[in-house]
Amino acid sequence: MSGFVGILVSDPWLQNQFTQVELRSLKSHFTSMRRESGKLTVSDLASRMGRSKVVGDQNISNEERASLIQSFHPNLNDEVDFEFYLRIYLNLQAHVNAIIGSGVKNSSAFLKASTTTLLHTISDSEKSSYVAHINNYLSGDDILNKYLPINPQSNDLFEVAKDGVLLCKLINVAVPGTIDERAINTKSMLNPWERNENHTLCLNSAKAIGCTVVNIGTQDIIEGRRHLVLGVISQIIKIQLLADLNLKKTPQLVELVDDSKDVEELMSLPPDKILLRWMNFQLRKSEYKKTVTNFSSDVKDAEAYTNLLNVLAPEHKNPSKLTAKNTFERAKLVLEHADRMGCRRYLTAKDIVEGSPNLNLAFVAHIFQHRNGLSTKTKQISFLETLADDTQISREEKAFRFWINSFDSSVYINNVFEDLRDGWILLQTLDKVSPGIVNWKVASKPPIKLPFKKVENCNQVVKLGKQLKFSLVNIAGNDIVQGNKKLILAYLWQLMRYNILQLLKNLRFHSNGKEIADVDILEWANAKVRKNGSQTRMYSFRDKSLSDGIFFLELLSSVQPRAVNWSLVTNGVTDEEKKMNATYVISIARKLGCSIFLLPEDITEVNQKMILTLTASIMHWTLKQPIHLIKPTGSPDSHNGSLLDDSTSDSSIE
């Protein structure tokens, strides 16, 4: 965030929730409310926020607002400062968004809604199902065995999650290898610093596997805020359950389409949409004539489930299911069928008839994992051989997608090549990275039916890129509309790079606003490592010697001496040793607080782009720390005497 944000807000988590424009507006509202009587207490907030129309006044009554605020903070006589007001604002705004967004048809809304909707109620059914999942997948874990199995009828889950270990372990179950478990603080009695490190590692790693954790901070986990903790757990489990719903993991999915063009379309779909397509594909083999479009209202009557299970496991068929008049009885029979298949998990008959979307999705995903009913015909699998297999493009697409989703934007994207083609999300991201740059008057908001409107949006995207001095030779708006992969990735890389350079520039009070260049980051990193007594050096961001990870461990150790346990570091000679070091580097950086989206392979293969973002993120974290936490250093190799001097951080700007 900018220096301006740092002046108004000292809490780093709050700094990351707002743009400069938003913060200025909220500060103005806050000042206005406090001016009425010279001070502002919790009891004043509801009526004054209503009059100032800060939060969706048309969607929430004064009585509801007052009740919500009291549930957030029962002591009504406490005086409200600006940061407290921002937290109340975020909670209220999320409540309003939940009301407005209940009908939104975003295919992956669950990935966002479960954590941005700060309702202070939780579903006991969801909690019980997720506890059963945790008990099953983490049983036998050496660290957690003293807590497992957790009683699903109690709230013990939230107590066990408070030290961050369970959440870190659950992330590794969902996406193995995401967190180097050597970086998790696991001793029996953790001090507050160590707990905070675990939570930071967990949240940054959750973002890196595709979770949206906007409005969730380490304090929320420490305090065991149930709705937020359950929201994170829900997302992690869903990512695990949907992991096989792609052609790489399950090539048999190609049976759902007719030709290679359809295969490309299938590959671009989010996993929950693929799951729906698979379900309808199997239902067409039965007498069921409807199309299932969601995991809620369309499955409430249990008829779709009855037919699906009869197709997949006819040997367990119960004729009475089809004649059952009572929906609840039919749902019970469905679960009995699933039980005979070994698939009864995640929901009850009550959850089916009530249309619980999260649990129904989990149930169908579990059935898919256990018995998908797909064949492996050679002719169909051969379609895959005609498609380009570019691992690098896939890796970069994922990194940029998760980076964009880490912003608090209104839409969760599943594929940058498809979801950015109308230009709208790119414009939103540009506005986050460079507030005020977008001319919204000439932008068209989805759904966009007219093709030329999409081109207009994308033309503005290209125009703004040139304004920010991106290299956009031979790139036009229509290239984005057409989903040109290489050009889209080239644009996104420059946007990500611009963002991190601006973050660094805004942290510094130097050289009359001198721009920061790649060479400044390189020199800063080398100076830090050298002053820590090491001879290791990075000659460029494509320096092949970086593949062993040692330089980055030296850098992390120089900015936080206790961060690296050197007894766990390998020599980095073999490929396996290099990967171990790279995984450790990423986990330690996330544990400190770096929000990074690279994979160990990006280090071992020395991916220049990701190496730059890693180094810049470590630099950004370091320069954000208060002065008393930063070791004073001279700067003999300083670039114009400003960038390598740690004596000035954003916290010192007056």
Side-chain angles (χ1 to χ4, degrees):
M1 301 303 290
S2 72
F4 177 85
V5 175
I7 295 170
L8 291 181
V9 180
S10 60
D11 186 330
W13 177 77
L14 280 173
Q15 289 178 21
N16 288 327
Q17 308 310 309
F18 303 98
T19 65
Q20 291 186 32
V21 175
E22 291 167 339
L23 205 60
R24 286 193 187 99
S25 175
L26 288 167
K27 181 65 174 179
S28 174
H29 282 295
F30 174 75
T31 304
S32 175
M33 289 188 294
R34 192 168 60 177
R35 192 179 295 127
E36 290 186 32
S37 60
K39 70 173 185 176
L40 184 66
T41 64
V42 177
S43 61
D44 300 323
L45 272 179
S47 59
R48 294 189 189 178
M49 289 180 82
R51 286 199 295 274
S52 66
K53 298 184 179 181
V54 177
V55 180
D57 200 45
Q58 70 278 19
N59 295 297
I60 186 171
S61 66
N62 262 340
E63 292 75 17
E64 188 177 9
R65 186 183 295 105
S67 175
L68 284 166
I69 290 174
Q70 188 169 358
S71 74
F72 304 150
H73 194 86
N75 194 342
L76 300 180
N77 294 320
D78 282 358
E79 191 166 348
V80 176
D81 62 16
F82 184 49
E83 291 195 6
F84 180 91
Y85 164 69
L86 290 178
R87 292 182 182 276
I88 293 292
Y89 168 84
L90 288 170
N91 279 268
L92 288 174
Q93 186 64 61
H95 177 75
V96 172
N97 288 345
I99 297 170
I100 297 171
S102 59
V104 173
K105 298 180 181 178
N106 181 0
S107 63
S108 289
F110 72 82
L111 282 170
K112 188 155 187 170
S114 59
T115 52
T116 57
T117 304
L118 307 188
L119 299 177
H120 287 253
T121 58
I122 63 172
S123 162
D124 286 333
S125 290
E126 287 195 27
K127 180 192 70 176
S128 297
S129 294
Y130 299 152
V131 166
H133 180 97
I134 289 167
N135 287 339
N136 180 60
Y137 282 95
L138 290 177
S139 63
D141 184 89
D142 292 340
I143 305 300
L144 295 172
N145 59 9
K146 58 185 174 183
Y147 303 115
L148 299 178
I150 299 170
N151 180 359
Q153 306 307 317
S154 72
N155 287 317
D156 293 350
L157 169 65
F158 308 108
E159 289 300 316
V160 176
K162 281 185 176 180
D163 66 5
V165 176
L166 183 144
L167 294 176
C168 287
K169 297 272 189 176
L170 194 60
I171 287 171
N172 269 356
V173 169
V175 184
T178 299
I179 296 175
D180 188 328
E181 296 197 2
R182 297 174 296 175
I184 305 173
N185 298 320
T186 58
K187 65 183 185 183
S188 56
M189 293 294 291
L190 299 178
N191 61 42
W193 179 274
E194 291 165 332
R195 280 202 309 272
N196 187 72
E197 285 182 331
N198 280 352
H199 300 146
T200 304
L201 173 60
C202 161
L203 292 177
N204 281 325
S205 299
K207 282 193 288 184
I209 66 169
C211 296
T212 300
V213 292
V214 178
N215 297 342
I216 301 176
T218 58
Q219 192 63 27
D220 298 313
I221 303 175
I222 293 170
E223 294 175 3
R225 295 183 182 175
R226 297 172 188 175
H227 54 296
L228 297 178
V229 173
L230 200 67
V232 174
I233 290 172
S234 171
Q235 291 189 79
I236 296 169
I237 290 176
K238 283 166 186 168
I239 286 170
Q240 177 190 345
L241 290 174
L242 297 174
D244 291 342
L245 280 148
N246 59 74
L247 288 171
K248 185 176 181 181
K249 292 282 188 70
T250 312
Q252 297 90 338
L253 281 166
V254 76
E255 189 178 347
L256 306 186
V257 298
D258 295 323
D259 55 41
S260 57
K261 183 178 180 181
D262 291 335
V263 171
E264 290 193 34
E265 179 192 351
L266 184 69
M267 291 174 69
S268 70
L269 290 177
D272 56 330
K273 286 295 185 185
I274 295 177
L275 188 62
L276 280 172
R277 182 174 286 198
W278 166 80
M279 186 174 180
N280 286 308
F281 172 80
Q282 299 296 355
L283 286 172
R284 285 196 292 273
K285 300 175 184 177
S286 72
E287 297 178 358
Y288 192 74
K289 301 304 179 186
K290 300 176 185 176
T291 298
V292 177
T293 62
N294 59 63
F295 294 104
S296 183
S297 59
D298 286 1
V299 295
K300 276 185 175 183
D301 60 9
E303 289 183 6
Y305 285 153
T306 297
N307 286 276
L308 177 66
L309 297 186
N310 285 347
V311 168
L312 295 175
E315 69 274 19
H316 299 304
K317 187 174 181 179
N318 184 342
S320 61
K321 276 191 297 184
L322 293 171
T323 58
K325 301 297 183 184
N326 183 293
T327 302
F328 188 79
E329 287 302 315
R330 189 183 303 120
K332 286 172 65 178
L333 291 170
V334 163
L335 293 179
E336 288 175 10
H337 191 158
D339 194 27
R340 290 191 291 273
M341 293 170 60
C343 294
R344 181 169 181 166
R345 273 194 199 164
Y346 301 110
L347 83 175
T348 63
K350 181 172 179 284
D351 298 321
I352 293 177
V353 298
E354 290 183 354
S356 171
N358 285 347
L359 296 182
N360 276 294
L361 183 147
F363 176 62
V364 178
H366 184 60
I367 292 171
F368 176 86
Q369 286 183 339
H370 187 79
R371 187 180 295 198
N372 61 40
L374 299 173
S375 66
T376 54
K377 294 181 181 178
T378 307
K379 180 180 177 181
Q380 290 169 320
I381 298 297
S382 67
F383 281 154
L384 297 177
E385 298 172 2
T386 66
L387 301 174
D389 179 23
D390 195 323
T391 304
Q392 187 61 38
I393 285 180
S394 176
R395 230 158 58 195
E396 290 190 10
E397 185 277 331
K398 184 182 290 186
F400 295 139
R401 171 163 36 102
F402 292 163
W403 172 67
I404 291 172
N405 285 334
S406 71
F407 290 103
D408 183 14
S409 94
S410 58
V411 181
Y412 184 95
I413 67 169
N414 298 284
N415 184 302
V416 298
F417 306 127
E418 294 297 322
D419 298 346
L420 303 185
R421 288 170 64 171
D422 63 11
W424 181 258
I425 295 175
L426 279 172
L427 290 173
Q428 286 185 315
T429 308
L430 279 159
D431 197 54
K432 290 285 185 181
V433 169
S434 184
I437 194 173
V438 177
N439 182 356
W440 293 110
K441 292 180 181 178
V442 298
S444 298
K445 185 176 182 179
I448 305 173
K449 295 182 180 179
L450 300 174
F452 78 90
K453 289 291 184 182
K454 296 180 182 180
V455 175
E456 285 181 351
N457 278 357
C458 292
N459 282 340
Q460 185 179 181
V461 167
V462 173
K463 178 183 176 183
L464 295 177
K466 291 177 179 177
Q467 188 176 319
L468 296 175
K469 300 181 180 178
F470 295 177
S471 175
L472 299 175
V473 179
N474 297 326
I475 297 181
N478 196 52
D479 292 314
I480 299 173
V481 176
Q482 295 299 318
N484 186 308
K485 293 183 179 182
K486 290 189 176 180
L487 295 183
I488 289 173
L489 290 179
Y491 189 98
L492 289 174
W493 158 241
Q494 293 180 82
L495 185 58
M496 178 189 270
R497 177 178 173 276
Y498 176 84
N499 179 50
I500 191 65
L501 293 180
Q502 286 302 110
L503 289 173
L504 288 169
K505 176 186 174 183
N506 291 336
L507 285 176
R508 311 299 291 163
F509 185 72
H510 67 86
S511 301
N512 298 316
K514 174 189 176 294
E515 296 294 330
I516 288 183
D518 297 1
V519 66
D520 299 315
I521 300 169
L522 186 72
E523 290 186 3
W524 174 86
N526 281 325
K528 293 299 293 184
V529 169
R530 183 168 55 255
K531 288 162 194 166
N532 202 39
S534 172
Q535 299 302 311
T536 313
R537 181 175 177 81
M538 172 167 56
Y539 291 94
S540 74
F541 295 116
R542 58 167 66 95
D543 185 345
K544 293 301 181 183
S545 69
L546 299 173
S547 66
D548 62 11
I550 300 294
F551 177 84
F552 295 109
L553 291 168
E554 295 274 11
L555 178 59
L556 289 164
S557 182
S558 73
V559 301
Q560 178 50 264
R562 60 182 293 276
V564 178
N565 182 346
W566 285 100
S567 67
L568 302 176
V569 178
T570 75
N571 292 327
V573 176
T574 67
D575 289 345
E576 181 60 29
E577 287 179 342
K578 289 179 179 180
K579 187 171 183 180
M580 288 178 67
N581 283 352
T583 305
Y584 193 47
V585 166
I586 292 170
S587 291
I588 293 298
R590 287 177 180 153
K591 183 176 177 180
L592 287 182
C594 299
S595 184
I596 49 178
F597 301 93
L598 74 166
L599 295 171
E601 291 79 7
D602 292 316
I603 296 177
T604 59
E605 296 172 13
V606 193
N607 180 329
Q608 179 184 358
K609 298 173 184 176
M610 294 301 134
I611 293 291
L612 170 59
T613 61
L614 171 63
T615 313
S617 295
I618 297 171
M619 181 179 180
H620 180 248
W621 178 85
T622 305
L623 300 182
K624 280 200 309 182
Q625 304 312 301
I627 297 172
H628 70 277
L629 293 180
I630 297 177
K631 189 168 57 177
T633 58
S635 190
D637 295 334
S638 110
H639 193 74
N640 290 337
S642 60
L643 290 168
L644 302 179
D645 181 4
D646 285 335
S647 64
T648 305
S649 72
D650 60 329
S651 60
S652 68
I653 298 173
E654 297 298 333

